[in-house]
Amino acid sequence: MLDKQSPVPMYAQIEDYLKSQILQGGFVIGMAIPSERELTDTFGVSRMTVRQSITNLVNEGLLYREKGRGTYVATPKIEQPLSLTSFTEDMLSRGMKPSNKLVSFEKKIPEIDIAQELQLAKGEEVFIVKRIRYADDKPMAIERSYLPVKLVPDLELNNIEGSLYSFIEKDKRLIISHASQRMEAVLVNKEDAEFLQICMPSAVLMIERISYLTNDVPIEIVRSTYRADRYKFISEIRR
Ligand code: 16G
């Protein structure tokens, strides 16, 4: 099956073969792929070569390894358009069940950088909401939201157990109109690794979003850490 004369290295050809099996449904989600030994025999290459192909696909998020058991086909990552939607809306629109675990909920005067970004006067307080967000009971992201107390003074525990956007828009009748967002890849820290149930070191996607109401008043800063093995962000761009 391999072309030994090809300039494409053996590991890349095996990788292409495994990838096409996954994408065309030969190997389905959750199924174990053939063992390293079986692949070694099938392709007549060294175990190192097979391992290299599998490692590349694990790093791409198409496969995952389970210690002592084997290598399995991973659930495809969530493809999240870069849009101003809430976590609850995003998950429901995919037919997944959103849920939250509240880690902390405080009311205090924020650090100077948050106060400046939220355009707060000296001494003005924010609510700080830290939640783990789940889709179908799997941890996806950790969100730390900062909201000016003066805009949502009656924010309570039961509001953030559900959808925060629904509270802001339906209960408070405020309109979230636009946002600026930046995203970067970082290595997960110890605390977030525990919340997200991932090993260290793992790459995660860090997002900071500042959302504004129609009158350009900042309503929320969110600093989120997303599991990079479960999420990819996509956008339509035109020239
Ligand atoms: C999204 C937003 C977050 C917002 C949350 C509300 C990003 C990076 N974050 O996750 O700012 O607080 O939705 O979700 O997009 P909820 O209405 O389900 O509580």
Side-chain angles (χ1 to χ4, degrees):
M1 235 184 292
L2 299 185
D3 179 357
K4 299 210 163 149
Q5 310 307 321
S6 164
V8 180
M10 294 295 143
Y11 76 83
Q13 293 187 42
I14 298 174
E15 205 178 308
D16 282 348
Y17 162 78
L18 294 173
K19 205 180 227 176
S20 65
Q21 289 296 313
I22 297 167
L23 299 178
Q24 289 161 19
F27 297 158
V28 295
I29 297 168
M31 171 180 159
I33 64 160
S35 66
E36 283 182 8
R37 183 192 296 267
E38 285 170 304
L39 291 170
T40 304
D41 292 347
T42 309
F43 292 112
V45 293
S46 73
R47 197 134 171 178
M48 282 273 288
T49 303
V50 164
R51 196 163 293 164
Q52 170 81 66
S53 326
I54 294 178
T55 301
N56 288 352
L57 293 173
V58 168
N59 292 342
E60 258 189 71
L62 289 169
L63 296 175
Y64 64 94
R65 287 191 172 103
E66 283 207 358
K67 257 207 184 109
R69 293 191 56 211
T71 305
Y72 297 83
V73 179
T75 307
K77 294 184 188 185
I78 286 181
E79 293 204 348
Q80 178 62 50
L82 288 167
S83 57
L84 195 39
T85 46
S86 79
F87 186 85
T88 304
E89 289 165 346
D90 290 338
M91 294 310 124
L92 290 176
S93 71
R94 299 193 153 76
M96 300 175 98
K97 182 186 76 150
S99 57
N100 309 319
K101 183 164 168 196
L102 185 64
V103 178
S104 58
F105 181 39
E106 313 167 77
K107 181 164 130 178
K108 64 179 192 188
I109 297 172
E111 302 288 326
I112 183 83
D113 57 331
I114 296 281
Q116 277 173 356
E117 285 182 317
L118 286 175
Q119 301 168 16
L120 300 180
K122 208 166 168 223
E124 281 185 321
E125 289 182 312
V126 291
F127 286 115
I128 308 179
V129 182
K130 188 165 159 187
R131 299 184 292 176
I132 308 174
R133 314 298 312 255
Y134 299 82
D136 287 344
D137 303 317
K138 292 202 190 112
M140 292 286 159
I142 300 169
E143 287 179 353
R144 297 164 181 86
S145 296
Y146 303 79
L147 302 117
V149 170
K150 63 182 175 189
L151 296 178
V152 285
D154 48 351
L155 182 68
E156 286 177 359
L157 264 183
N158 65 322
N159 307 127
I160 45 189
E161 277 162 2
S163 164
L164 179 63
Y165 273 21
S166 161
F167 172 73
I168 295 172
E169 295 180 326
K170 298 211 174 89
D171 297 14
K172 304 309 294 174
R173 299 190 175 274
L174 297 169
I175 299 169
I176 302 167
S177 90
H178 56 286
S180 72
Q181 180 161 299
R182 50 171 187 248
M183 188 182 332
E184 59 186 308
V186 296
L187 289 177
V188 70
N189 63 32
K190 194 160 178 289
E191 188 193 6
D192 287 357
E194 276 168 28
F195 286 137
L196 293 173
Q197 296 166 21
I198 50 178
C199 312
M200 290 181 74
S202 290
V204 284
L205 294 161
M206 277 247 303
I207 297 184
E208 179 172 295
R209 182 193 275 189
I210 311 179
S211 305
Y212 300 87
L213 303 176
T214 32
N215 52 4
D216 284 337
V217 171
I219 175 76
E220 183 198 29
I221 294 180
V222 73
R223 291 180 176 165
S224 313
T225 310
Y226 280 79
R227 281 184 61 148
D229 60 338
R230 300 218 164 127
Y231 254 90
K232 58 166 90 151
F233 289 90
I234 55 170
S235 53
E236 289 284 327
I237 47 179
R238 271 174 213 276
R239 180 165 145 80

